Amino acid sequence: MTAVVLYPQVEMLAARGGGLTMETVRFDSLLEIETAFRAMVMFKFSGSGEAEIFLGSPVMASALESMLAAIVDGWNAAGYAGKATGWRDWYALSHVKSRDEQISKYLVTHPKWGSLSRTDRLDWLRVVAAPYWLDEAGVARFDPLIGETQPLA
């Protein structure tokens, strides 16, 4: 019996001739995309001056979310649902308390932080925390900053 493994691909926007186009990036193995993903996460949260701007980058957040989805989809397609679930669960915000201080400090740097609604603050938290997805327990740790507790939409 031969197993067919569909390797993930990630679609990205790329600048071409002054405009943006959608590009598909193909990886030859899940290990390649996992490695690139982990390197991007390490860079984003490294605390370096070069990386700071990427904490609040919606583009970086979207790229990391797409890569994580591709990894989860790739493991599911390969028949390893447990590995897929492990990847998904590992990147719940509640599992990364070590990032709380850095995320909290960056959240309040939003130029309109004082006037943002709770919904807008949650959207900003999604960007800053990405690829970590917002679960109830993770968001609860940020309630003193984002406002009253409400169920996530």
Side-chain angles (χ1 to χ4, degrees), residues 2-8 26 28-30 74-75 77-80:
T2 303
V4 175
V5 178
L6 302 174
Y7 292 113
R26 296 180 68 84
D28 290 332
S29 70
L30 280 169
W75 282 118
Y80 293 96

Side-chain angles (χ1 to χ4, degrees), residues 43-62:
F43 171 73
K44 178 179 177 179
F45 292 102
S46 69
S48 72
E50 294 85 7
E52 185 175 357
I53 193 167
F54 291 102
L55 276 171
S57 169
V59 174
M60 175 67 99
S62 179

Side-chain angles (χ1 to χ4, degrees), residues 6 8 30 33-34 37 64-91 131 133:
L6 302 174
L30 280 169
I33 193 171
E34 288 176 1
F37 173 80
L64 288 169
E65 289 166 352
S66 294
M67 290 179 81
L68 179 57
I71 292 166
V72 170
D73 291 348
W75 282 118
N76 276 324
Y80 293 96
K83 278 195 116 158
T85 300
W87 270 89
R88 171 85 175 138
D89 290 350
W90 182 256
Y91 284 92
W133 54 275

Side-chain angles (χ1 to χ4, degrees), residues 121-136:
R121 287 180 179 197
L122 281 170
D123 288 343
W124 182 234
L125 176 59
R126 280 184 183 94
V127 168
V128 175
Y132 302 100
W133 54 275
L134 306 187
D135 59 335
E136 297 288 340

Side-chain angles (χ1 to χ4, degrees), residues 3 10 18 20-21 24 40 47-48 70 73 77 80 85-86 98 102 127 139 152:
V10 179
L20 291 177
T21 61
T24 300
M40 288 175 65
S48 72
D73 291 348
Y80 293 96
T85 300
S98 62
Q102 185 179 21
V127 168
V139 171
L152 294 175

Side-chain angles (χ1 to χ4, degrees), residues 10 12 14-15 26-27 32 51 62 66 71 78 85 92 104 109 120 138 146:
V10 179
M12 305 168 54
R26 296 180 68 84
F27 292 86
E32 286 181 5
S62 179
S66 294
I71 292 166
T85 300
S104 295
T109 66
D120 291 338
I146 48 180

